Amino acid sequence: YTNPGGTSDAGSAYIFVKPGGGWENMTQTAIITASDKAASDNFGVSVYMSDDFALVGAYGADPGGTTDAGSAYLFAKPGGGWADMTETSTITASDKEDSDRFGSSVSFSGEIYIVGAYGEESGAGSVYIQDPNYGHSIPRDTYEMVGIPVTVVNGDPATLFGDDFGNQDAGSETWRVSRWSVANQEYERYDEGGGANPADFVPGYGYWMVQDVVDDCKIDIAVDQEDGHVAQDARYVRELESRSGENRGVNQLANPFHYSYDWRNTSFYNSTTEETKSIADAATANWINGYGYTWDSDANQYVTVNWTGEENYTIDTWEGFWLDVLTENALQFRFKPIGYEGGLIAPEGQNNPGHRDDGDDSWEFNLQLMSANGNYHDDHSKIGIASDANDGYDYHDAFAFTPVSRPYVQLFFPYDGDVVLSSRFTNDFRSNEFENGVKEWEFVVRASDLDGEELVLTWPNIDGIDIEYFPTLYDEDDNLLANLREENEYRFGAVAERHFNLRVRYAPESVDDNNDLIPADFSIISAYPNPFNDQVKISYYLPSSYNVSMKIFDLNAKLIAELVQQEQSIGQHQ
């Protein structure tokens, strides 16, 4: 019934450790609460511990919009001990309903969670025995990138998942497993002939799966196939396929663990140079690209993930991802399990690859593309500047992947430099040096199988960049389409490919006489927001010092207000 963070009756659990002197000297080492704590959850009503995990019940939680259905939370002890324990998963009942009180009692045996729900079935009560790590849903005709969180006796896809697909043979008309081959630069598809089968399922490797058997198929691994979990006391190593010549080193990997994994704990070993680097340093050294890529099956788009971003990003159980290897040297991807106490962790405070730094002259904003009906998205493309970025390719820039299924929409920045790895980028960061006060980004919009649809381009976080920067949108014929400060979107008909230019002009409020940014003519840049309610901001350029008068009149030529009446210097004013 504690009130963590001022949340009434959200609840807490307390970890005490017995020192060498015995129980009378025990000390409190940690207080844990639920990541989604809410009033009256009663987190801590039940607890259960093992050497490395704690399971905590919260029978008053309201998962999925229910009331008092209840939840249970699994916490893991990392190498630093109980004081650093982290929440790894939330467990709820598959048939949760109001007042079930799931989590009123908790326990586990091996890897099986046992949770009581005394209010289920109108108070008759039930016990749920769950192994939530072994099942993953794959809706019909929906691509999912997956990996398995358990070691198995036999990793053959039909052996593992054939029963989930009605024991039908693999194939394009039933179910398909495929995996990208860096050496051959093509997908290897299971049991479809004409080429090699993909490697058998093992923890740490990613695979594409799609099925056309049932509306919502749940793949799982039978008990007699399960052979334990990845050891928690040592780095878990996956050998990577390296880039070779013109071939990109695009590897499919996956979370190998039976809990969510924070991939910033990953390190890399370069067998050629015999060096080990954190994931951040490996990106900076151009061993790997500064971003990972997951697949959002609901929006049919790739999601870029900053390896060392500001958010505590974790990759879920069963989830796969892309990694782009940029070096021709042999690399190892080294996962760090919860129980591993040694090894290399990215330094705190390090600048984040792929993410703008916190300098005053650094910024970023998104260009988001979607179909007008909202069914298809490409939400994650960014432009920006950073003090340590290059105008050409560097680790700030993220490659663009073409979606795996149609229809789709896509926005990317073409690149014609000397990087042979890719000609398309979904993030394009530049240096903070503005030649003649202007930087220009070309980008391309593609639409597949969406003839006749209307597309919408938006820039939702444009207000986050300084007013000294003025972004405008043009088409390939140099026609002005939108001032991004004044308008919220641009709509156009879907075509196979359409080219745009985005120009950002940098105009600080005052400049020296010899500065190239001096405007040639007087101009009013913008008045925004437009339309406005009680306030409007007007920006304008002066090519030299002037005595400026700015007045507001109504439609009958009546003077309403005098905003400026003074001598002002060259440059931009507001």
Side-chain angles (χ1 to χ4, degrees):
Y1 295 101
T2 61
N3 308 318
T7 307
S8 177
D9 294 338
S12 306
Y14 298 78
I15 304 292
F16 290 81
V17 174
K18 180 184 73 172
W23 289 110
E24 64 273 15
N25 298 316
M26 66 191 305
T27 57
Q28 179 181 305
T29 62
I31 302 175
I32 55 177
T33 60
S35 59
D36 59 350
K37 58 181 174 288
S40 302
D41 277 357
N42 298 127
F43 175 93
V45 69
S46 58
V47 295
Y48 192 86
M49 293 184 69
S50 69
D51 290 340
D52 297 306
F53 295 93
L55 187 61
V56 183
Y59 69 4
D62 305 325
T66 60
T67 300
D68 295 337
S71 301
Y73 298 81
L74 184 68
F75 291 78
K77 179 184 75 173
W82 288 112
D84 300 322
M85 66 191 310
T86 57
E87 181 184 315
T88 63
S89 59
T90 302
I91 306 165
T92 60
S94 57
D95 58 349
K96 55 183 173 288
E97 293 181 350
D98 292 350
S99 303
D100 278 356
R101 297 291 187 173
F102 179 91
S104 52
S105 56
V106 295
S107 184
F108 49 81
S109 175
E111 305 300 336
I112 305 298
Y113 306 131
I114 306 164
V115 183
Y118 73 74
E120 208 270 338
E121 290 293 333
S122 300
S126 296
V127 171
Y128 292 78
I129 301 176
Q130 296 192 6
D131 192 349
N133 304 303
Y134 294 171
H136 184 77
S137 178
I138 300 184
R140 186 190 293 269
D141 292 332
T142 300
Y143 278 86
E144 296 275 350
M145 193 190 291
V146 302
I148 57 172
V150 61
T151 59
V152 292
V153 177
N154 183 345
D156 176 75
T159 303
L160 290 180
F161 306 117
D163 60 322
D164 302 316
F165 303 124
N167 293 313
Q168 298 190 46
D169 292 336
S172 59
E173 302 300 320
T174 52
W175 59 276
R176 166 176 282 174
V177 171
S178 54
R179 193 165 188 275
W180 180 254
S181 167
V182 173
N184 299 323
Q185 292 289 286
E186 65 181 13
Y187 281 107
E188 296 173 344
R189 296 188 171 96
Y190 175 73
D191 247 11
E192 294 192 26
N197 273 348
D200 283 353
F201 276 84
V202 291
Y205 286 140
Y207 306 78
W208 283 113
M209 296 191 72
V210 64
Q211 60 91 15
D212 193 14
V213 179
V214 295
D215 287 340
D216 194 2
C217 172
K218 185 173 183 179
I219 57 172
D220 55 15
I221 296 172
V223 173
D224 58 358
Q225 260 293 114
E226 183 265 315
D227 195 32
H229 290 126
V230 172
Q232 297 295 291
D233 58 356
R235 286 281 188 181
Y236 183 65
V237 176
R238 293 290 81 188
E239 302 289 340
L240 299 176
E241 294 184 85
S242 294
R243 165 178 180 248
S244 176
E246 298 291 321
N247 291 354
R248 287 178 60 185
V250 185
N251 283 248
Q252 280 184 278
L253 297 171
N255 180 7
F257 303 124
H258 52 291
Y259 50 82
S260 297
Y261 175 66
D262 187 337
W263 49 19
R264 294 173 301 173
N265 291 325
T266 304
S267 62
F268 288 81
Y269 175 71
N270 188 322
S271 60
T272 302
T273 63
E274 297 184 343
E275 295 177 277
T276 301
K277 292 183 181 293
S278 69
I279 196 167
D281 290 338
T284 306
N286 270 353
W287 289 4
I288 61 171
N289 183 248
Y291 289 83
Y293 301 82
T294 59
W295 175 249
D296 182 347
S297 57
D298 293 331
N300 204 43
Q301 64 175 319
Y302 282 104
V303 178
T304 57
V305 182
N306 189 338
W307 289 126
T308 57
E310 293 176 345
E311 296 181 359
N312 182 25
Y313 192 85
T314 54
I315 185 165
D316 290 335
T317 306
W318 286 93
E319 187 174 2
F321 60 94
W322 287 113
L323 169 80
D324 225 337
V325 177
L326 307 185
T327 177
E328 295 192 8
N329 296 344
L331 293 182
Q332 290 181 346
F333 190 100
R334 295 183 168 184
F335 294 91
K336 178 182 177 291
I338 285 178
Y340 178 64
E341 297 185 1
L344 191 64
I345 300 176
E348 293 183 5
Q350 176 172 346
N351 283 341
N352 299 327
H355 188 85
R356 70 170 180 85
D357 64 18
D358 292 326
D360 291 338
D361 56 355
S362 297
W363 50 259
E364 65 182 41
F365 68 87
N366 285 77
L367 288 172
Q368 296 186 347
L369 178 70
M370 64 182 295
S371 57
N373 60 17
N375 291 335
Y376 304 97
H377 295 253
D378 188 353
D379 297 332
H380 301 281
S381 298
K382 291 181 181 178
I383 73 163
I385 62 170
S387 58
D388 62 340
N390 300 320
D391 283 347
Y393 169 74
D394 59 27
Y395 64 79
H396 285 278
D397 302 321
F399 300 137
F401 282 68
T402 299
V404 294
S405 58
R406 299 181 178 183
Y408 66 78
V409 295
Q410 184 182 28
L411 187 154
F412 65 85
F413 303 94
Y415 185 76
D416 58 2
D418 57 0
V419 178
V420 299
L421 303 173
S422 175
S423 60
R424 298 193 297 268
F425 289 81
T426 190
N427 287 4
D428 189 357
F429 281 72
R430 308 281 183 87
S431 73
N432 56 7
E433 298 177 1
F434 276 69
E435 183 178 353
N436 297 322
V438 177
K439 278 189 182 293
E440 181 175 328
W441 283 260
E442 178 187 350
F443 66 91
V444 178
V445 167
R446 299 173 65 189
S448 176
D449 296 346
L450 288 172
D451 293 343
E453 292 280 349
E454 186 179 39
L455 303 185
V456 183
L457 180 67
T458 61
W459 36 92
N461 51 348
I462 191 65
D463 289 339
I465 72 171
D466 196 278
I467 187 62
E468 294 178 341
Y469 298 93
F470 295 90
T472 47
L473 181 67
Y474 294 81
D475 63 19
E476 59 184 335
D477 296 321
D478 215 29
N479 296 308
L480 177 63
L481 301 177
N483 182 329
L484 274 60
R485 293 288 192 186
E486 297 181 351
E487 301 173 52
N488 298 322
E489 64 179 35
Y490 177 70
R491 291 176 175 256
F492 54 98
V495 295
E497 193 167 287
R498 184 163 178 172
H499 293 249
F500 296 88
N501 290 305
L502 184 65
R503 299 172 194 169
V504 178
R505 181 170 184 171
Y506 175 56
E509 291 188 358
S510 61
V511 292
D512 297 329
D513 288 343
N514 294 325
N515 196 307
D516 291 337
L517 298 179
I518 297 174
D521 302 293
F522 167 79
S523 59
I524 292 181
I525 307 164
S526 66
Y528 77 96
N530 184 14
F532 60 89
N533 293 320
D534 59 336
Q535 294 186 12
V536 63
K537 183 177 290 187
I538 300 171
S539 300
Y540 53 97
Y541 288 129
L542 298 179
S544 64
S545 296
Y546 281 111
N547 184 17
V548 177
S549 174
M550 181 174 289
K551 300 176 181 180
I552 303 295
F553 297 84
D554 67 12
L555 294 180
N556 295 318
K558 179 183 177 182
L559 178 65
I560 300 299
E562 185 173 289
L563 303 182
V564 179
Q565 186 65 61
Q566 66 182 57
E567 184 80 13
Q568 291 188 327
S569 61
I570 59 175
Q572 178 194 340
H573 299 266
Q574 297 176 17

